[in-house]
Amino acid sequence: MKAGRSIAAGLLAMLLSGTGVAQADQLLGTYVARISEKDHQASDGYALDSAAQVVRQDRANVHRHIQTDEEDDLDDWFTSNAKRARFEQLLNKPGAMNNSTRSAILHGEPLIEVQVYRQSVKVRLLD
């Protein structure tokens, strides 16, 4: 019984100190965006075929001030093409968005919220 308490106490100490256990991904912030028709087209005019590409294109349109939607927030994270490429990789990770969100983005013009973390992103529908 004593050994069990020692192990439990050691695990608790590791959890509280953050050592030896993966720490939770830190939330950097959120932004809201309207996915619209122009976000479904790449800058050179071809139709995009994944939700991740569409959300990335929305950020390209915002940061290049080509065409923004009234509901589009600015963000500090996806200001360059290289950063948007990494963003697209994060959008394609499991857990970034569920299938109904992916479908709504790919086939419609929803209002979305993007939660930006250090190592991940999460997208949810607002309407």
Side-chain angles (χ1 to χ4, degrees):
M1 196 69 169
K2 230 177 186 187
R5 280 191 223 151
S6 295
I7 291 171
L11 288 173
L12 180 60
M14 283 189 340
L15 284 171
L16 293 175
S17 70
T19 59
V21 177
Q23 294 184 7
D25 205 359
Q26 181 184 359
L27 178 66
L28 300 176
T30 64
Y31 74 86
V32 171
R34 170 66 67 188
I35 301 301
S36 60
E37 184 178 334
K38 64 187 163 294
D39 300 322
H40 289 264
Q41 302 291 318
S43 300
D44 57 4
Y46 69 89
L48 300 173
D49 60 5
S50 78
Q53 290 174 337
V54 172
V55 175
R56 175 185 176 174
Q57 185 63 45
D58 169 77
R59 293 296 89 189
N61 290 342
V62 166
H63 287 292
R64 288 196 251 141
H65 305 289
I66 295 171
Q67 298 174 342
T68 60
D69 299 299
E70 185 177 319
E71 295 134 315
D72 285 347
D73 288 343
L74 293 177
D75 69 87
D76 295 328
W77 306 287
F78 310 117
T79 55
S80 71
N81 193 45
K83 290 176 182 178
R84 290 188 293 275
R86 172 72 176 132
F87 181 41
E88 185 177 349
Q89 291 174 343
L90 295 174
L91 288 164
N92 280 316
K93 283 185 162 185
M97 58 183 116
N98 63 35
N99 288 338
S100 62
T101 299
R102 285 184 195 283
S103 181
I105 290 168
L106 189 57
H107 303 293
E109 298 185 5
L111 185 66
I112 62 171
E113 177 188 67
V114 179
Q115 299 171 346
V116 182
Y117 295 84
R118 284 204 181 279
Q119 300 298 322
S120 65
V121 294
K122 298 206 182 317
V123 181
R124 71 181 186 103
L125 297 176
L126 296 179
D127 78 1

